[in-house]
Amino acid sequence: MTFSGNNNKLIKEWIRTLQKSLTIETENKFINTLGRERYFNDYLHESLKKLDNLNLSDEYLRIFYEFSKKYSEYNKLDENQRKRLIIDTRKNLYKLGKTQEIESSNIISNKVFLNKADSSLSFDSDISLIKNVGKVYKNKLNELGIFHIKDLINYFPRTYLDYTNRVKIINLKPDNLYTCIANVKRFYIHKSKKNSNLSIMNIVVYDETSSIKVTKFFLGRRFRSYSFFTSQKSLYTAGTKLAISGKVKLTEYGKTFVDPQIEILKDNNDNYNFSGKILPLYSLGEALSNMSFIKLMKKVLIYAKQYPEILNKKQLDSLSLLSKGESLINIHFPPTQQALIESKKRLVFDELFLLQIKFLLRKRKTNKNVTSQQLPQKKSLLKEFLNNFPFELTKSQENVLNEIKKDLSNPVPMSRLLQGDVGSGKTIIAIASLLLVIEKNLQGAFMVPTEVLAEQHYKNLLKYLNPLLVSVELLTGNTPQKKRKEIFSNLNNGLVDILVGTHALFEDKVIFNALGMVVIDEQHRFGVTQRNRLLNKGDNTNLLSMTATPIPRTLALSIYGDLDVSQITELPPGRVPITTKIISEDNLTNLFKIVEDEINKGKQAYVILPLIEDSEKMNLSSAKKTFKYLSEEVFFNKKVGLLHGKLSSQEKNEVINSFLKNEINILVSTTVIEVGIDVPNATIMIIYNSDRFGLSQLHQLRGRVGRGSTKSFCYLVTSDKNGLENKRLCVLQKSNDGFYIAEKDLELRGPGQILGYRQSGLPDFVLDNLPNNKFLIDKAREEAIKIVSGDPDLKKNIVLRNILIDNSDNKFIHDFLN
Ligand code: ADP
Ligand code: MG
C-alpha cells in the first residue's frame, strides 16, 4: 500500500499530536494526566482507533487497534506497565513516521526509480512479506543467506556492466560496451537448427548515422512457441524506438550487438531502466536471474534509508563520506562510476571502523582485568626441552622466543602473530611457548587445521614432552567416544597439560581447568570466529597465531588489529634451496626417470593431484587414477602409497607412518598434505594441474620438500599450452621466498580470494577494495580511537553499540557492552 503526498501529511500530523501527549504523560510520571477535556487514556483510546482517513496498511491498523484497547484499561495498570505501554506505542508511531519520511524522500530521489515504500514493511521485515515473493523464490533467496530485507540490501553486486557510454551507430567499435538509441528496421526470429532448445532473434536497427544488426538468444523450450514468436514480433514493429546496451562484436555480418539488453522506449520518454546506466551483476548461482533480482532490489532498496547511521554529520563531512543510506543505494544502482567509488569507500570504511572498535574494546577489556597469573612455578620445563632438542635454535627463533617470553611476563595477555616461511621451524617455537604457560600451572591448546597434521604434532609433542612429565592429548573428529569422555574429564580437572587437535577443540564439551595459551597453527586456515571461540574458553588467554602465508603490513593491521607480529626470517642452517621447474604434461616420461634415480638413492617423492576421483565436470587428473597408473605401470617395482581426505583416520595414519619410515617411496596424494607435513627424506615434489592452485598454496606444497640437507626439486606440471598461466607459475620458479610469493598472489588474485571472509571477518568486497583505499584503514582507526577514548563503554554511541552487539559473535563484545 502506498500513500499520496496529502495522506502523508495527515499521518505525520496524527503522529505528532499523539507523541506530544505521550511525552506529557511521561513527564508527569504516568499519573493519567487530565487534559483540557479528557483524561490522557481516553484521548489515546479514541485517537488510536480513529484511523479511517489515514489509509494505513492492515498491519498498522491491527497494531493501533490493539493499543487502543489497552488504553481503555490504563487505569488498572501499575506504573511500570503504563511506562511499558507508552514506550511501545511510541516505538510504533516512530516506525510509522520513518516509513513516511522514506515515502516523501522517494518522491524527490527517483534517480534509480526505486519502488515506493510500503508502510507495513521495514528494514527488518522477512522477505516473504515483499509483494510477489512466493515460497519458491523465498527459498532460493534463503539459500543465498537472505532472510530479511536488510540481508537483501547487504547483498552487493559482484561486478557491474557499464552502459553509460552512449554513442551513434557509426561510432561503435568492436569489443566495447555501448548504449545506442535506434529504431527498428527489420525483425526476424527463428528456431536454431543446431540446438533444439534455442531461438535466435535478429533485429536491424538504424539511427541518423548508420544501421547495425542486433542478435539475441533465447534458451529454453518455451521460447520456441508460436505465441512467443508473435509476441516478440508485435513488440519490435518497424519504427519502434529501442535502447540497446551491450557489447559490440565483429561477426561475419559485420559489427553486431550480441545478446545486449534491449529496452523499448515509449514515445520520447527517456525513463528507461538500465540502458545507459551501470548494470549490477550479482552472484546468484543458477537458481535466480539477474534481472528478477534487480527488480526485487528496486522494491526494497528504499528501506536502505532506515539503516542506522553510525557517523554524524560532522564526521561525514570531515571524512568526506556519503551517508550510509545513499551508499547502500548507490552500491546497487550507481548513477556514475564516481558514485560507485564513493559508496564503496563509505561501506569499506564502516567495516574497517567497526573492526577497529572491536579491537580497541578487546584491548580495553584485557587491560581492565589485570589478574596476573602469578602461580608457583612448576620447574624450568623450557630449559630441559631446549637441552633435549637436537639442534641449536636459529638466531631468528631465539629472537621470537624472547619476544614471547616478554609478552608472557606481562599481565596483559599476549596476542602475537608469528610469520615464518615454510620450514623455518615454527613448531619448536609453539612447543616452547606452551611450556612457558605450563610452567605456571596453566594449560595449552594447540589448534591445527587437519587431522594428519594434528597427528604429526601430537607425536612430536609426545617425543619431547613425555620425558618432562608434561601430559599431552589428541582430540579430533575421529577420537572414539570413550577416549573423548576421558579427555574431557581430565582436561576439566587439569590433568591434561596440552590438548592438540582439529576443529573438535571448538566443541562446547571441551572445558579447560585453566587455559593459559592457544596456539593456532596455519592460522590462515581458520576464521576469526573460530579463533575467538577457543580463546573464550579461558580468561585472559594468550594467543600465538602462526602462519607461513604472510600478508602485507597494511592488511595485517586492518584484519588483525592489535596483534603483534613476530617473524622468523631465516631457515635452519644447512638447507639447500629447492629448484623449481615448470614442465608440460607431455614431458612426464623424462620426469619419471629422474624420480626413479632419486628413489634408487634412497630418497622419496610426493605426487600431488587436485582431485580424489575422476570427475565428469572437470578435466583434471585424479589421485586414484594416477595412483593406479604409477603403481601398476610406471613404478611397479617401487612402493607407491595413496593418501586423500576420504580415507579413515587410521588409514591416513598408516600411510603417513609408512612414508615417514621410508616404507613408501612415492606418495600420491591430494592437498591433504598441504600444511605442515614434515618428512625430511622426501626430495621430489610433483604437482599435477599446478595452474589450478594458488601461488601460496603451491609454495606450501613445495615446502614439503627441501626439509633436509639434500638438494630437492619441485616440478609444476601443466597442460596449459599458451603459457598464460605459466606467468603465475614463473613466480614460483624464480622465488623461494614466501613473503614475495604472497605479495604476488595478492596482486594476481586480490585479497578477497586469499584472505576470505572467514579468516578476516571482513567481506570480500572490503578486502578487494583495500589496496585502493589504504588511507581508509588509518582513518577508520583514528576515528575509532576518538570514539572509544571519549566514550569507553559506548554509552553515548547507542547506535554503534547496538550494531556491534547485533553483528558480533565475540563473547567479549557481549560481556563488555552488556
Ligand atoms: P614450519 O615453520 O614450516 O612449521 P617446522 O616447524 O615443521 O617448520 O620445522 C621444519 C623442520 O626443521 C623440522 O624437521 C624441524 O625439526 C627442523 N628444525 C626446526 N628448527 C630447527 C633448527 N633450529 N635447526 C635445525 N632444524 C630445525
Ligand atoms: Mg608448521
Side-chain angles (χ1 to χ4, degrees), residues 422 450-457 522 606 643 656 659-660 667 671-680 700-701 703-705 707:
V422 184
T450 66
E451 215 181 313
V452 171
L453 188 55
E455 280 280 348
Q456 180 184 293
H457 280 344
E522 310 292 346
Y606 292 97
L643 183 69
I656 296 258
F659 192 61
L660 199 55
L667 182 61
T671 53
V672 288
I673 64 113
E674 175 199 332
V675 290
I677 295 298
D678 188 33
V679 181
Q700 279 271 2
L701 284 166
R704 296 315 107 214
V705 297
R707 303 196 141 231

Side-chain angles (χ1 to χ4, degrees), residues 50-64:
K50 228 171 46 201
L51 309 170
D52 292 347
N53 54 357
L54 294 181
N55 204 5
L56 293 183
S57 70
D58 290 349
E59 173 79 343
Y60 273 118
L61 285 178
R62 195 185 53 71
I63 290 174
F64 291 124

